[in-house]
Amino acid sequence: MISEKYISWGNAGSTIRELAAYGAERAKIVGRENVYDFTIGSPSIAPPKALLDTVSRLCAEADPTQLHAYAPAAGIESVREKIARELNESFGADYDAGDIYMTHGASSALAILCAALLSEGDEALVIAPYFPEYKTYIEQTGAVMTEVLCDLESFQMDMGAFAGKITEKTAAVIINSPNNPSGVVLSEGSISAIAAVLNKKAEEYGHPIYIIADEPYRELVYGGIEVPFIPGLYADTLYCYSFSKSVSLPGERIGYIAISKAMADYSNVKAAVYGAARALGYVCVSPLFQLAVAETLGELSDIFLYDENRTLLYDALQEMGYRCIKPDGAFYLFIKTPVSDSRAFCRKAMEKDLLLVPGDDFGCPGFARLAYCVPVERIKKSLPAFKWLAEEYGL
Amino acid sequence: MISEKYISWGNAGSTIRELAAYGAERAKIVGRENVYDFTIGSPSIAPPKALLDTVSRLCAEADPTQLHAYAPAAGIESVREKIARELNESFGADYDAGDIYMTHGASSALAILCAALLSEGDEALVIAPYFPEYKTYIEQTGAVMTEVLCDLESFQMDMGAFAGKITEKTAAVIINSPNNPSGVVLSEGSISAIAAVLNKKAEEYGHPIYIIADEPYRELVYGGIEVPFIPGLYADTLYCYSFSKSVSLPGERIGYIAISKAMADYSNVKAAVYGAARALGYVCVSPLFQLAVAETLGELSDIFLYDENRTLLYDALQEMGYRCIKPDGAFYLFIKTPVSDSRAFCRKAMEKDLLLVPGDDFGCPGFARLAYCVPVERIKKSLPAFKWLAEEYGL
């Protein structure tokens, strides 16, 4: 009666988490400063001071029976109002508090949306490279994950390939921009082209095809680039946000889903989101952190430090002969491995305690992901190991 | 493609939550002190001072990029070690850190366990009266919830009825003691009798039947009563605990699952728990609150204040002619309604802004639940309304 599916997911674990755990073990042996761990996307920059001060002040001053009490399942009304207002002001959107559902970060938002929107036999399309947990959230519902590879030169959409993957069974497409692991921001042109295809196919098949926009990295962009707001370009979009990266609170699990009134089946989608969250065991998000992020909405961690890391690492790797698209956002480099077997490449790197994640885990073999949300010293100190690795492969 | 199941759960909401929201609205009109809200089991007593001090100290002193970082999915190793040790010392159990899976409170633990242990076509048995969300967690998996009514005089098990409800399809039984809503603690005799039935049936049917022990109220017991430790009496028990009630942190969502090594299918159950948590979108529990509860493990909110409320309200209601078993635990009274239509009774009570939850919601019509985790002044001030209600029904 125990489902094999859960046993296998439990036993498989996550390569990223396992590599990070390996790194922690190695650190005990060779010293933390000698492990060049670029595996996990956990922010290295502190949360904004105003946010931390607000957390401390609430803990010191608020009535603890109120502060730590159950919050409404969908979130504290005033918090949802502030978030709706910010989205409306930033993107000309039309959300009100009732359209915002607070979640335990983007992961729980994605799991809830997959449950709400997908059923046995449906397909959900993801664009490789993609965040590996998508597969689990999709398959948990009985639906099937289908994949389409992006253009491996630009990491923008390959529109021909994309259109070819939409079938009558496609219920949703997950889009993640700025992208983990490539760091690429999908252009407005790409999004509009996707929207045109989906509108046409939805009409042809007589049912909506939802976009799930997974945007934890929205503010982590460099060089003044604009991230298109997908709900403004495609009506049937569910927008997922997380405070994990932008204000460096990944462990506290706070984010939200925004449900557009323009959706064809708005009230059913909204009810299904509420119902799915309930059925998956979500009761409420920490009122302490809800109040703190809402009070300091718009404050960000010092993102420019990631930009410095990005330039330092990108330039050094280019110089050594590695090939990689210069990312506009997030905090990852996705380098082309000099051999097609990227798992072998990452194993080789481990000989110098250089920890990278094979692209295979993101549905994109032949590449490796480097998370550069690390102390700058780690990058500087790791360069000889990258150099050694380049020489091993004759770059 | 949107499942009707989620739409209906989203639209239905929870009677308890809706009544609490109604109470909040009424409070705006007639004043908070004039609404006698006994609906929601949210602690009225502050968390232990040592716990609050630890939260504040961690916020002030710990490196925020560490404190708020991703924790391991199953929990921080040192936290799980402390919890395992406490269980072993208290109950002669044999857990180690790897057997403890930190969850977002008991609700997420239950949702995870239902996903891990139940499949389409299975049955999960609950004992009425029961926490209404059980139904959602069970049906989310495609399994069917079956019910057995306890003995309505003692609120202990009706063993004949219980045994009659176990079928070849029964995969799990959820037991909640101290019970929400009756407050009754199942005796060791009852648990042993349940264990004997399940062992016999499991052997007969050739598959394990799990007990899911839902124990957020374990420490909320009065008069020195002992709560039997179910995993010590039945090997195939998954133990769920929450810090929501014992240390008054319901909004912060922290609890755990303990997986017994004595289970017949230990390693598969453990893998399935890890896999189900992952698939439902759980990433980690707040490291801030994990560290804080672990550091102050054993500290409790001032439970004796609930005991005072219990005695005050119970004695007053008895005096007025209401019938109710005196509860040994939790913070609820489950009164017999003087008419069989308990919804009508609760609606009548609302005329005096007296908010109670009909027993129907707990699978037990003819009763109403009063949560006495409220300021003592509310109880005192509510007594005339209870008196009026008693007279309306000729008690």
Side-chain angles (χ1 to χ4, degrees):
Chain A
M1 313 200 185
I2 300 178
S3 141
E4 282 302 322
K5 187 165 81 170
Y6 295 117
I7 294 173
S8 69
W9 288 332
N11 284 329
S14 136
T15 307
I16 298 171
R17 291 250 176 167
E18 277 164 19
L19 278 166
Y22 170 85
E25 285 305 307
R26 281 296 292 169
K28 290 180 195 165
I29 300 165
V30 300
R32 174 157 296 282
E33 71 284 6
N34 297 315
V35 178
Y36 313 124
D37 182 352
F38 292 94
T39 55
I40 201 162
S42 194
S44 53
I45 300 172
K49 184 171 179 304
L51 172 58
L52 293 176
D53 288 348
T54 305
V55 169
S56 292
R57 183 175 49 73
L58 287 167
C59 287
E61 294 176 8
D63 172 353
T65 62
Q66 296 296 315
L67 182 61
H68 303 298
Y70 289 113
I76 297 170
E77 187 74 7
S78 64
V79 171
R80 300 161 75 200
E81 271 167 16
K82 278 185 191 165
I83 289 171
R85 199 178 318 129
E86 196 214 25
L87 288 172
N88 296 347
E89 286 170 4
S90 301
F91 307 116
D94 179 31
Y95 298 111
D96 60 37
D99 302 326
I100 308 298
Y101 195 99
M102 300 302 296
T103 64
H104 289 271
S107 289
S108 78
L110 290 161
I112 290 164
L113 288 174
C114 286
L117 301 177
L118 305 177
S119 298
E120 185 88 33
D122 285 346
E123 292 175 1
L125 180 62
V126 304
I127 299 147
Y130 57 83
F131 180 54
E133 296 300 291
Y134 290 166
K135 191 171 163 71
T136 321
Y137 305 145
I138 292 166
E139 292 182 353
Q140 141 75 11
T141 71
V144 171
M145 185 177 92
T146 55
E147 301 181 38
V148 59
L149 203 57
C150 72
D151 174 81
L152 290 182
E153 290 302 314
S154 66
F155 283 84
Q156 293 285 334
M157 289 299 302
D158 176 340
M159 281 311 302
F162 176 82
K165 290 282 188 169
I166 306 291
T167 78
E168 188 153 9
K169 293 180 177 174
T170 307
V173 178
I174 303 181
I175 293 182
N176 170 226
S177 166
N179 181 261
N180 170 14
S182 76
V184 166
V185 175
L186 282 186
S187 66
E188 187 165 328
S190 283
I191 304 290
S192 296
I194 291 170
V197 169
L198 295 183
N199 279 324
K200 185 166 161 285
K201 297 277 187 175
E203 192 171 334
E204 182 183 336
Y205 300 137
H207 64 75
I209 302 173
Y210 297 100
I211 289 181
I212 299 174
D214 174 24
E215 301 207 355
Y217 301 101
R218 161 164 287 280
E219 295 92 347
L220 275 68
V221 286
Y222 315 109
I225 195 164
E226 290 279 330
V227 179
F229 186 66
I230 302 178
L233 298 166
Y234 185 69
D236 278 328
T237 301
L238 280 303
Y239 180 81
C240 304
Y241 182 80
S242 167
F243 293 92
S244 294
K245 318 292 180 175
S246 58
V247 299
S248 308
L249 287 180
E252 306 302 346
R253 311 309 305 142
I254 176 162
Y256 61 81
I257 298 166
I259 305 163
S260 305
K261 288 191 189 61
M263 299 184 81
D265 203 11
Y266 168 69
S267 60
N268 279 336
V269 169
K270 194 161 146 176
V273 166
Y274 280 57
R278 181 180 175 189
L280 300 191
Y282 293 101
V283 171
C284 68
V285 169
S286 163
L288 167 61
F289 285 98
Q290 284 193 60
L291 293 171
V293 300
E295 201 166 303
T296 57
L297 214 56
E299 297 273 350
L300 298 176
S301 299
D302 285 335
I303 307 296
F304 74 92
L305 293 171
Y306 294 133
D307 195 7
E308 289 181 5
N309 284 0
R310 177 181 74 123
T311 305
L312 173 65
L313 189 57
Y314 175 81
D315 288 351
L317 295 183
Q318 284 281 111
E319 179 72 29
M320 292 175 200
Y322 290 101
R323 286 187 53 208
C324 169
I325 192 163
K326 188 165 187 180
D328 291 317
F331 39 43
Y332 307 105
L333 291 184
F334 203 50
I335 63 173
K336 194 161 166 50
T337 52
V339 283
S340 59
D341 185 348
S342 36
R343 290 194 194 280
F345 174 80
C346 292
R347 272 197 305 276
K348 188 81 188 165
M350 287 168 82
E351 291 178 21
K352 296 283 176 191
D353 285 318
L354 185 58
L355 307 183
L356 316 174
V357 184
D360 310 59
D361 283 81
F362 304 95
C364 200
F367 291 82
R369 187 188 82 167
L370 288 67
Y372 58 77
C373 46
V374 298
V376 66
E377 296 72 29
R378 186 180 303 168
I379 296 175
K380 288 179 182 162
K381 210 155 173 280
S382 71
L383 295 180
F386 278 111
K387 182 72 185 160
W388 169 85
L389 191 62
E391 283 165 2
E392 285 288 306
Y393 286 98
L395 292 183
Chain B
M1 312 201 185
I2 300 179
S3 141
E4 282 303 321
K5 187 164 82 170
Y6 294 116
I7 294 173
S8 70
W9 289 333
N11 284 330
S14 137
T15 306
I16 299 172
R17 291 252 177 165
E18 276 164 20
L19 278 167
Y22 170 83
E25 285 306 308
R26 282 295 293 166
K28 290 180 195 165
I29 300 166
V30 299
R32 174 157 296 282
E33 69 286 3
N34 297 314
V35 179
Y36 313 125
D37 183 352
F38 293 94
T39 54
I40 200 161
S42 194
S44 53
I45 300 172
K49 184 170 180 303
L51 172 57
L52 293 175
D53 288 348
T54 305
V55 170
S56 292
R57 183 175 50 73
L58 287 167
C59 287
E61 294 176 7
D63 171 353
T65 61
Q66 296 296 316
L67 183 62
H68 303 299
Y70 289 113
I76 297 171
E77 186 73 8
S78 64
V79 172
R80 300 161 75 200
E81 272 168 16
K82 279 185 191 165
I83 289 170
R85 199 179 316 131
E86 195 214 25
L87 289 172
N88 296 346
E89 287 170 4
S90 300
F91 308 115
D94 178 33
Y95 298 110
D96 60 36
D99 301 326
I100 308 298
Y101 196 99
M102 301 302 296
T103 64
H104 289 270
S107 289
S108 79
L110 290 162
I112 290 165
L113 287 175
C114 286
L117 301 176
L118 305 177
S119 298
E120 185 89 33
D122 285 347
E123 292 174 2
L125 180 62
V126 304
I127 299 147
Y130 57 83
F131 180 55
E133 296 300 290
Y134 291 166
K135 193 171 161 69
T136 321
Y137 305 145
I138 292 166
E139 292 182 352
Q140 142 75 11
T141 70
V144 172
M145 185 176 93
T146 55
E147 301 182 37
V148 60
L149 203 57
C150 72
D151 174 82
L152 290 181
E153 289 303 315
S154 65
F155 283 85
Q156 292 284 334
M157 288 300 302
D158 176 340
M159 282 311 302
F162 177 81
K165 290 284 188 170
I166 306 291
T167 78
E168 188 154 9
K169 291 180 178 174
T170 308
V173 179
I174 303 181
I175 293 182
N176 170 225
S177 167
N179 182 260
N180 170 13
S182 76
V184 166
V185 175
L186 282 187
S187 67
E188 186 165 328
S190 284
I191 304 289
S192 296
I194 291 170
V197 168
L198 295 184
N199 279 323
K200 185 167 161 285
K201 296 276 187 176
E203 191 171 335
E204 183 184 335
Y205 299 138
H207 64 75
I209 301 173
Y210 297 99
I211 289 182
I212 299 174
D214 174 24
E215 301 207 357
Y217 301 101
R218 161 162 287 279
E219 295 92 347
L220 275 68
V221 287
Y222 316 108
I225 196 164
E226 290 278 330
V227 180
F229 186 66
I230 302 179
L233 298 166
Y234 185 69
D236 279 327
T237 300
L238 281 302
Y239 181 81
C240 304
Y241 182 80
S242 167
F243 293 91
S244 293
K245 317 293 180 174
S246 59
V247 299
S248 307
L249 287 180
E252 305 302 346
R253 310 310 304 141
I254 175 161
Y256 61 81
I257 297 166
I259 306 163
S260 306
K261 288 191 189 62
M263 300 184 79
D265 203 12
Y266 168 69
S267 59
N268 279 336
V269 170
K270 193 160 147 177
V273 166
Y274 280 57
R278 181 181 175 188
L280 300 191
Y282 293 100
V283 171
C284 68
V285 169
S286 163
L288 167 62
F289 284 98
Q290 284 194 59
L291 293 171
V293 299
E295 200 167 304
T296 57
L297 213 57
E299 297 272 351
L300 298 176
S301 300
D302 285 336
I303 307 297
F304 75 91
L305 293 170
Y306 294 133
D307 195 7
E308 288 182 5
N309 283 0
R310 177 181 73 123
T311 305
L312 174 64
L313 189 56
Y314 176 81
D315 288 351
L317 295 183
Q318 285 280 111
E319 180 73 28
M320 291 175 200
Y322 290 101
R323 286 187 53 208
C324 169
I325 192 162
K326 188 165 186 180
D328 292 315
F331 39 43
Y332 308 105
L333 290 184
F334 202 50
I335 62 171
K336 195 160 166 49
T337 53
V339 283
S340 59
D341 185 347
S342 36
R343 291 193 194 280
F345 174 81
C346 293
R347 271 196 305 276
K348 189 81 187 164
M350 288 168 81
E351 291 179 21
K352 296 283 176 193
D353 285 318
L354 185 58
L355 307 183
L356 316 174
V357 184
D360 311 59
D361 283 81
F362 305 95
C364 198
F367 291 81
R369 187 188 82 167
L370 288 67
Y372 57 77
C373 47
V374 300
V376 66
E377 296 72 27
R378 187 180 303 169
I379 295 175
K380 289 179 183 163
K381 211 153 172 281
S382 72
L383 295 179
F386 278 112
K387 182 73 186 159
W388 169 85
L389 192 61
E391 283 164 2
E392 285 288 306
Y393 287 98
L395 293 183

